[in-house]
Amino acid sequence: MTKHFITIILFTFVPTWLLAQTDTYNQITPDGNITRGQRNDNKKGEKENKEIPKGIKVWTVDARFGDMQRAPLDTLSHMFMNSIFTTGVRGEYNTTGNLGAPRINRVFIDIPLYKQFIFTQPYDFFIKSVDQFHFTNTLSPFTNLTYNTCGDRTDGEDHFTAKFGVNAGKKIGVGFNFDYIYGRGYYHAQSTAHFNYTMYGSYLGDRYQAHLLLSTNHQKVAENGGITDDQHILHSESFNFQTTEIPTVLDENWNRNDNQHIFLTHRYSFGFNRKVRMTDEEIQARKFAIAAQKDKERREALKAAEDKDNPYESKEPERKFEGRPDDAKIMGMEAIADSITRSKRIAVEGKAQADSILTTEQKEAEDTSWLKNEYVPVTSFIHTLKFDGYDRIYQSYYTPDNYYAHTYYNNGKYAGDSIYDKTRHYSIKNTFAVSLLEGFNKWAKAGLKAFITSDYRHFSLPDSIGSDIKYRTHNLSIGAQISKTQGKTLHYNATAETWITGEDAGQLKIDGTVDLNFPLFGDTVTLAASGFFYRQNPTFYFRHYHSRHFWWDNSLDKIIHTRIQGLFKYQKTRTSLRVAIDEIKNHTYFAQSYNINEENDRTNNTVQVRQSGDAITLFTASLSQDVTLGPLNWESVVTWQKSAKSEVIPVPDLNIYTNLFLRFKIAKVLSCDLGADMFYFTKYYAPDYSPAIGQFTVQENNSRVEIGNRPIIDVYANFHLKHTRFFIMMSHVNANVGVKNYFLTPHYPLNGSVIRFGVSWNFFN
């Protein structure tokens, strides 16, 4: 950790310090206005206090078309303390216990669909998809350092991230992210070590735009198979064990994932130029620039008059100039300059206040000048390239006798006492699209896109004779999209895609969203609906997987999945209601079974792929309500689910998160949230976990295990001071209270009571 920490500090602060030695930049004020920066022309020995600009814009891009979507900058202190948990901000994930461990969402509609390479999906706490990545545009170099920790060198957890962004002019933004997780684990053979490095860049011109992502990830997870006897947790008072001394099923077993990604999306747009009125921020910036220039010219002219006895010289500030047709205009600008000079330290917010410094005649004279040239794109040609490369290894130096039910090979280059299951996958996907953009005239109420996608996939798996089998496939799909994103009242998006060649020929995906926003009793009501219809093949590793102890080559039917979801949101009462109905035919999943003997040994372990031919219906309703009474705040989310076939799709009937806290300030500068939160879910046969394939599975044991019906409570103090967020917390404060059934995955207990600390610091320099 120390070596990596020093390296990142050097990479972060050296370029930041070098850039800080040159120019200052424009500044975006907290309400979105722009002030102009100045070049640092101070001579040696001169001192001048200048405020460092802190403007930064953040956005995400669509993984298919590269469309930009504004995103909030992660600078809020609220809920910062829960951002460290693998269990999620609101405790909605089941995990195997440790920081960075595999996880799965308990709310079915929030579980992402399986991708082609399934082995990295349980690590979505660490690996972010393209459409979740934040690109930046900054007015000055921006750095964020975040660190949280608990425990010690034996059993503690550490998570460090560093983010850096800088601009080269207005159009080019570049940066890097670094993410490092090291969870030693409070239980035996449970450690995790994750490493990510990502570089990014963007170019935002009028006609040409591009976004580039380059990232590499490494995950190493020790697998202990869970504890041998749950009684060590349920009745820990009967045993005199530390958590690291509790016997586990496996030892010296690891899952390793290495993956690299390249993402490039760029477009060229054809359009026309037109005159449009400047925004309030642009008008303000221009007025400052004009005022500063005229102030400089006036001072130079007065100085020249003093030196040369210029006939225009006057010792009376109120003297009017005569004799030139532009004199009135000059005097108007001098009035502006005088006003600006006398009130340089007064913040001018918005056009209304900026105009207040001008006379009526001056405003009338200049109103027609506040126009700018705007390039209006009409048609865009889009290309998106996505390369993903993966290596996955399951390695074991020790396996208990009779642990696995089957052994399929033990020869060739994979021979020996240890397990070395390896698979590789890479894909190259190219999408070409033509887009007719929304809003280029009053008749263009929606945007239209047509696209074609080429997807080449390569997989390798071991054969029983010790060599590798290669699987190659090329799929071609076509599709179209219609969308409306502009305006405040109505937005919609509908996308359809079908596959015409390759093993996915005949697949169909239709997605749609619509939202309506209207005022009610002084605030805005949002009614939104979304849905999809998918008919698609189960992904590759459901159809083919080869390893020493698990083996299948399946012929599976296409999965038919339909979802309809509605959302009601009223900002005034801070109420949100989400309702969804899913129907799935040919639902495909993993099922695991094993025996547990009297000595608590596991035997005859096997994992199989199941496909349910019945149409399974699942209903979800989720209510979110926030309440504030003075300094007291109470936030709650209650989710109810009902699966028509719980032995195939197990979900808890009720999932609750609640957060009660006091919000106040200390010494008028230090913001503080002091409170406690809790998550809870009803008992159900939660998914088990298979270390050998690194996936969550449905329980098919003779004696299935229920988990749940026990709250997990944290107490915390969360602080925010200028650019710094920090917290101190005791997580799972009720670990030793009541029945100690604190399992989120069968036989994988949570950590007990732990004191945690975290800090996040933003630098603008």
Side-chain angles (χ1 to χ4, degrees):
M1 178 67 187
T2 303
K3 179 175 66 176
H4 291 300
F5 185 82
I6 294 173
T7 302
I8 291 304
I9 290 296
L10 292 175
F11 272 99
T12 300
F13 286 106
V14 170
T16 305
W17 177 82
L18 291 174
L19 287 166
Q21 309 309 306
T22 56
D23 298 345
T24 61
Y25 297 80
N26 304 337
Q27 179 176 349
I28 299 177
T29 60
D31 58 358
N33 295 324
I34 301 174
T35 58
R36 308 298 293 182
Q38 297 179 354
R39 185 175 180 86
N40 186 358
D41 292 325
N42 292 343
K43 296 180 181 180
K44 186 176 181 180
E46 295 181 354
K47 294 183 179 179
E48 183 177 349
N49 293 326
K50 293 185 178 180
E51 185 178 356
I52 298 173
K54 304 176 182 63
I56 181 170
K57 294 181 180 180
V58 177
W59 67 92
T60 60
V61 298
D62 177 73
R64 175 181 283 142
F65 302 118
D67 294 335
M68 298 170 58
Q69 179 68 43
R70 289 289 294 269
L73 182 64
D74 182 23
T75 57
L76 296 178
S77 63
H78 178 56
M79 299 297 287
F80 171 55
M81 71 287 175
N82 282 8
S83 65
I84 68 171
F85 289 126
T86 309
T87 51
V89 175
R90 292 176 175 83
E92 63 271 31
Y93 287 86
N94 288 350
T95 79
T96 57
N98 195 18
L99 175 68
R103 70 179 190 174
I104 186 172
N105 205 309
R106 287 192 300 277
V107 180
F108 180 79
I109 58 175
D110 292 332
I111 299 175
L113 300 179
Y114 280 107
K115 299 179 181 179
Q116 291 298 326
F117 193 81
I118 63 176
F119 302 106
T120 57
Q121 286 189 239
Y123 302 101
D124 60 355
F125 171 74
F126 181 76
I127 301 176
K128 303 300 182 184
S129 60
V130 167
D131 54 8
Q132 293 177 311
F133 186 84
H134 284 181
F135 289 86
T136 61
N137 187 290
T138 69
L139 297 179
S140 64
F142 166 79
T143 304
N144 171 266
L145 302 178
T146 301
Y147 176 70
N148 66 79
T149 184
C150 70
D152 53 34
R153 293 186 178 183
T154 302
D155 54 18
E157 301 173 356
D158 294 286
H159 188 183
F160 173 75
T161 63
K163 300 177 181 180
F164 175 75
V166 67
N167 263 50
K170 295 181 179 179
K171 298 180 179 180
I172 300 175
V174 296
F176 70 80
N177 290 358
F178 173 83
D179 198 347
Y180 181 71
I181 286 177
Y182 185 31
R184 300 161 185 84
Y186 283 84
Y187 298 89
H188 177 66
Q190 194 193 32
S191 65
T192 60
H194 300 334
F195 174 92
N196 164 266
Y197 185 80
T198 300
M199 295 183 292
Y200 66 91
S202 63
Y203 178 86
L204 302 179
D206 289 336
R207 292 172 174 80
Y208 181 74
Q209 294 184 356
H211 292 85
L212 176 65
L213 271 178
L214 305 171
S215 66
T216 181
N217 295 282
H218 171 76
Q219 299 92 45
K220 180 182 178 183
V221 177
E223 303 283 8
N224 64 16
I227 61 176
T228 58
D229 188 356
D230 293 352
Q231 298 301 316
H232 286 289
I233 299 297
L234 297 173
H235 300 286
S236 58
E237 66 279 358
S238 301
F239 303 89
N240 191 21
F241 285 169
Q242 298 294 323
T243 56
T244 53
E245 298 172 336
I246 296 175
T248 58
V249 175
L250 301 175
D251 191 13
E252 298 186 59
N253 284 244
W254 293 273
N255 266 306
R256 291 183 172 90
N257 287 294
D258 289 281
N259 46 92
Q260 300 79 37
H261 309 274
I262 301 173
F263 173 79
L264 169 67
T265 180
H266 56 144
R267 63 175 64 192
Y268 190 86
S269 301
F270 294 93
F272 59 90
N273 288 288
R274 66 182 177 188
K275 291 282 189 179
V276 296
R277 187 168 179 80
M278 295 181 182
T279 64
D280 291 348
E281 292 81 6
E282 291 170 330
I283 290 174
Q284 176 191 344
R286 183 177 176 186
K287 286 181 177 180
F288 270 112
I290 292 174
Q293 179 63 28
K294 292 302 179 180
D295 180 66
K296 179 181 178 182
E297 293 177 359
R298 181 174 61 84
R299 285 186 282 104
E300 290 177 349
L302 292 174
K303 186 176 185 303
E306 292 176 357
D307 294 341
K308 300 180 181 180
D309 195 23
N310 191 296
Y312 285 95
E313 178 187 2
S314 174
K315 297 181 181 180
E316 299 175 0
E318 67 277 11
R319 176 180 176 180
K320 296 183 179 179
F321 289 84
E322 298 177 355
R324 296 191 309 181
D326 291 336
D327 283 348
K329 183 177 180 181
I330 293 173
M331 286 302 301
M333 291 303 177
E334 283 197 310
I336 298 174
D338 288 337
S339 299
I340 297 297
T341 303
R342 290 193 301 269
S343 57
K344 283 183 179 180
R345 296 184 179 271
I346 298 177
V348 181
E349 301 177 354
K351 182 177 184 300
Q353 188 172 344
D355 284 345
S356 68
I357 66 173
L358 305 176
T359 66
T360 302
E361 293 79 5
Q362 291 165 350
K363 285 190 288 186
E364 290 176 352
E366 67 183 12
D367 272 345
T368 58
S369 66
W370 301 118
L371 299 176
K372 66 176 180 178
N373 282 321
E374 179 186 69
Y375 183 74
V376 181
V378 176
T379 303
S380 294
F381 293 90
I382 303 168
H383 170 234
T384 297
L385 166 68
K386 193 170 186 288
F387 169 83
D388 300 299
Y390 300 90
D391 285 275
R392 187 257 178 177
I393 297 171
Y394 176 65
Q395 191 169 15
S396 172
Y397 292 113
Y398 168 74
T399 303
D401 294 337
N402 302 317
Y403 179 75
Y404 292 105
H406 307 286
T407 299
Y408 292 98
Y409 64 83
N410 190 17
N411 52 26
K413 64 181 180 180
Y414 299 109
D417 295 331
S418 64
I419 299 174
Y420 192 82
D421 295 335
K422 184 173 183 179
T423 182
R424 288 182 173 178
H425 164 59
Y426 69 83
S427 67
I428 303 173
K429 181 182 288 189
N430 283 280
T431 297
F432 299 90
V434 179
S435 173
L436 186 64
L437 277 75
E438 170 190 1
F440 66 88
N441 66 41
K442 64 180 181 179
W443 306 109
K445 300 298 185 182
L448 298 172
K449 294 185 180 76
F451 64 91
I452 183 170
T453 298
S454 166
D455 186 3
Y456 176 78
R457 305 171 192 157
H458 178 279
F459 301 87
S460 67
L461 288 170
D463 200 353
S464 59
I465 61 175
S467 59
D468 288 338
I469 303 177
K470 312 292 185 186
Y471 297 84
R472 300 180 181 89
T473 181
H474 179 257
N475 298 279
L476 197 66
S477 66
I478 58 174
Q481 181 188 82
I482 181 172
S483 63
K484 181 182 184 300
T485 60
Q486 298 179 9
K488 297 181 179 179
T489 304
L490 177 66
H491 312 100
Y492 56 82
N493 183 308
T495 305
E497 182 179 15
T498 186
W499 279 253
I500 56 178
T501 65
E503 66 177 12
D504 289 342
Q507 283 192 163
L508 176 65
K509 295 179 69 175
I510 301 174
D511 294 89
T513 62
V514 61
D515 66 84
L516 179 65
N517 304 274
F518 57 90
L520 180 67
F521 302 128
D523 217 315
T524 301
V525 172
T526 298
L527 294 176
S530 63
F532 62 73
F533 173 81
Y534 293 166
R535 185 179 70 237
Q536 57 188 140
N537 287 326
T539 54
F540 176 83
Y541 289 100
F542 282 103
R543 292 178 281 124
H544 304 283
Y545 185 69
H546 301 169
S547 67
R548 178 173 293 191
H549 298 293
F550 299 147
W551 193 289
W552 55 78
D553 288 290
N554 296 318
S555 178
L556 301 172
D557 295 328
K558 286 184 171 62
I559 303 170
I560 301 175
H561 188 176
T562 304
R563 175 179 296 167
I564 299 174
Q565 181 175 223
L567 173 68
F568 168 82
K569 187 175 183 180
Y570 189 33
Q571 298 178 8
K572 190 171 187 177
T573 61
R574 298 160 69 189
T575 303
S576 177
L577 175 64
R578 183 172 60 152
V579 179
I581 300 176
D582 287 82
E583 183 178 273
I584 310 172
K585 182 177 175 56
N586 298 327
H587 177 64
T588 306
Y589 60 98
F590 294 112
Q592 177 175 244
S593 64
Y594 47 81
N595 299 324
I596 304 178
N597 60 26
E598 294 180 355
E599 289 76 28
N600 293 309
D601 296 328
R602 308 297 198 270
T603 60
N604 295 321
N605 183 287
T606 183
V607 173
Q608 298 181 17
V609 175
R610 305 289 193 200
Q611 189 171 64
S612 175
D614 298 331
I616 304 172
T617 302
L618 190 141
F619 184 82
T620 306
S622 182
L623 175 65
S624 174
Q625 180 64 64
D626 298 344
V627 177
T628 298
L629 295 172
L632 182 66
N633 293 264
W634 187 18
E635 303 171 343
S636 298
V637 180
V638 180
T639 303
W640 179 77
Q641 302 175 100
K642 190 62 178 179
S643 172
K645 204 168 184 179
S646 59
E647 67 272 20
V648 174
I649 304 178
V651 293
D653 289 343
L654 199 62
N655 194 85
I656 298 174
Y657 173 80
T658 187
N659 181 23
L660 185 66
F661 61 96
L662 293 171
R663 173 167 290 173
F664 55 91
K665 284 192 174 183
I666 300 174
K668 298 182 180 182
V669 293
L670 180 62
S671 300
C672 178
D673 290 350
L674 181 64
D677 68 349
M678 177 201 76
F679 69 84
Y680 166 89
F681 57 94
T682 52
K683 274 191 174 184
Y684 77 116
Y685 293 106
D688 204 346
Y689 176 73
S690 171
I693 62 171
Q695 298 294 305
F696 287 89
T697 67
V698 171
Q699 296 185 60
E700 284 195 350
N701 299 323
N702 293 330
S703 56
R704 297 190 298 165
V705 176
E706 280 189 310
I707 64 170
N709 197 31
R710 187 184 190 281
I712 306 297
I713 301 174
D714 308 323
V715 295
Y716 63 88
N718 199 22
F719 301 97
H720 186 203
L721 177 64
K722 293 186 177 180
H723 304 306
T724 306
R725 300 174 290 170
F726 58 98
F727 70 85
I728 184 168
M729 166 197 286
M730 175 169 280
S731 62
H732 199 182
V733 70
N734 62 322
N736 296 316
V737 178
V739 179
K740 302 173 185 177
N741 183 23
Y742 47 84
F743 297 87
L744 295 186
T745 300
H747 315 301
Y748 287 87
L750 273 179
N751 295 334
S753 299
V754 179
I755 295 178
R756 301 175 181 272
F757 172 78
V759 61
S760 180
W761 201 333
N762 295 324
F763 301 88
F764 296 88
N765 55 358

